Amino acid sequence: MSKGAPGHGVRSVRYRILAIALLPTLVILPLLLGITMVRWNAKFDSLLISKVNGDLTIAHQYLARILENTGDHVRALGNSAQFRDTLVSRDATALPAFLEQSRQDLGLDFLALVDAQGQVTAAAQRLTGNARTDWPVVTSALAGAASTAIDIFTNEELAALSPALAHRARLDLVMTPNAVPTDRLSETQGMVIHSASPVTLDDAAGSALVGGILLNQNLVFIDTINDLVYREASLPEGSQGTATLFLDDVRISTNVRLFEGRRALGTRVSGAVRETVLGQGKVWLDSAFVVNDWYISAYEPIVDSFGKRVGMLYVGFLEAPFTQAKYVTLATIIAAFLVVTALSVPLFLRWARGIFRPLERMTATITQVESGDLGARTGVNVVKDEIGRVALHLDDLLDQLQVRDRKLRDWNEELNRRVEERTQELQLANRQLEATTKQLIMSEKLAAIGEITAGVAHEINNPIAVMQGNLEVARNLIGTHGDVAKTEFRLLDEQIQRISQIVTKLLQFAKPEEYAGYVERHAPAEVISDCLPLVQHLLNKAAINVAREHRATRRVLMNRTELQQVLVNLIVNAIHAMPEGGMLTLRDVDEDRDGKPGLLIDISDTGTGMAPDVLAKVFDPFFTTKRREGTGLGLSISQTLVTRQGGKIAVESELGRGTTFTIWLPEAT
């Protein structure tokens, strides 16, 4: 058993006891409370939707009742004795006067008699144009069946009945958030409860009595709906019930307020509601933004006598008071839970403490014994339960252990003297062996890698040569027909050349003394500029800014690819050291060393930096801090390439401040 086992066991028991005491109150109860609150919230929202759906049903029934009453009134008028007597009198002025009086009594906006040919023979008000008589409700009445429906009249058709109706129907559109964009500036059409009843009197057989009510700005109609649906005290304090009649998506009759004293006539419904109700013909039952606030809303489509969806009927009430009431209720529940928890948890902890306090005393005693104090005891004198008996038994065992320890110490002192001499000899030999082993392993690794790399490179060169030769043969055999695949041949040449360059680099790494490649004179600023596009994707990903300082006028004599390899490796290492972003500084300047002219290239970052022990190993082969991503050869190879050109590479770093790699290369002569 390890030294940490007893203490770990006691801690485990303590935590289990605390878990047993607190789990129901702090975990299970909050979880159940959370589930209950979520379900209650969903049920609360469902009840609001059910209420607004019921409100919509009442409004729908009232609208249907208005349609039915209008039809009944027109039908009763057509069958009345007074109408028959007026018609029989054949008085040119009596019939229009009778129709006008009947229109006022029935609350109609127009009333006319249409003959069997569809021509208006008499009207309550003098017509200012030719009234349209080909409506389905009119043709149905002329065919002998009374009909009532909602129809949409153009402004010209309303003007033909009465200029006042055309004026009343016109509404200026008000720009409304979330509405479908439109170029219209006003709504000129009118939504009409349109009713027609056949006339069965002998003198006008085959005729029809046609009447209607314009719903545009009919505030009595919409206020009546609102009063029926939202009676006094039917909503909580602060809430407000609203009702609206839409022509298409424009409010033509509403009690929704745009601001104090003005109704929101001419405002439009949101695009989402319009698409659901008018576009898809569905009933909307959900929260919706109405003019300037959120309402629990219900919309249903209104269909005209042609079967086309032409408008919507809406009822709803302010959502904010219900939301506030819901949050107050939730806050009250949470506060009550916190109060109960604050009162009960200390009591549970006190009960639990009576159990794990003796265990803590035993744990402390064992810790003291482990630290060397064999005289430590639990101090439990009164046995109240099983844990007390265990504490007493532990004290007895510690007494026996203390006696045996004194005997063992005497034997141990003699043994230590003998072992110490042998240990010193073994430590010296072991250090020598470790150093020799490290050198041998490193030499073997580098030798094996060199042999493998050279062998692989030579093996790849042969198929490359065959591919290049066969490509030339194929190009010669095809001749001028090869122009069709000119681009593909060019790409093959480029990729084969790329493979050759890779093989050459492998050989340069494996046997640099044989495959060093050609060298050129380069300006360091140009080489640095060529390196930056290769790492630009890494710079963008880490949000790193690049600062350049170019002051070198000298050139270096080095293979351009090797110099790029060194710079790219150092830049990538700097980027990896700045995962949260930072500043990468690239500087080149002329500098003489040991009397030789040359130039310096500095690559500095503001990253995490390196500790001194890591800094001492960065150029060692196979040493890496990138774990899975690195091989540990990048800096070692870079040092080899720079040293081969007579240069030097050095590094300075500080934890938390960043790292600077310095490359010195002799000037090209």
Side-chain angles (χ1 to χ4, degrees), residues 22 24 26-27 30 87 91 96 108-109 151 159 169 186 191 231 324 339 348 379 469 471 473 504 579 581 600 649 662:
L22 301 179
L26 300 183
V27 178
L87 189 62
D91 186 341
L108 301 175
D109 288 312
D151 280 318
S186 62
M191 178 177 285
R231 296 179 179 273
Q324 182 180 3
V339 170
F348 296 154
L471 183 61
V473 172
T504 301
L600 279 180
I649 183 171
T662 301

Side-chain angles (χ1 to χ4, degrees), residues 461 464 494-508 518 561:
N461 269 332
I464 290 175
E494 292 176 356
Q495 297 305 313
I496 290 175
Q497 181 62 27
R498 183 181 177 187
I499 295 174
S500 298
Q501 292 177 355
I502 294 173
V503 171
T504 301
K505 290 181 179 180
L506 289 174
L507 289 173
Q508 290 173 355
Y518 63 93
T561 302

Side-chain angles (χ1 to χ4, degrees), residues 90 223 380-381 434 645:
R90 298 186 183 280
D223 288 342
V380 176
N381 299 321
E434 285 180 355
Q645 300 302 322

Side-chain angles (χ1 to χ4, degrees), residues 101-146:
Q101 184 62 44
S102 298
R103 181 191 71 80
Q104 296 179 11
D105 294 341
L106 297 178
L108 301 175
D109 288 312
F110 65 88
L111 183 63
L113 181 64
V114 179
D115 62 16
Q117 286 72 40
Q119 299 297 319
V120 177
T121 58
Q125 297 173 326
R126 183 177 178 181
L127 302 182
T128 59
N130 295 323
R132 177 180 171 185
T133 57
D134 60 344
W135 298 98
V137 294
V138 177
T139 57
S140 175
L142 292 176

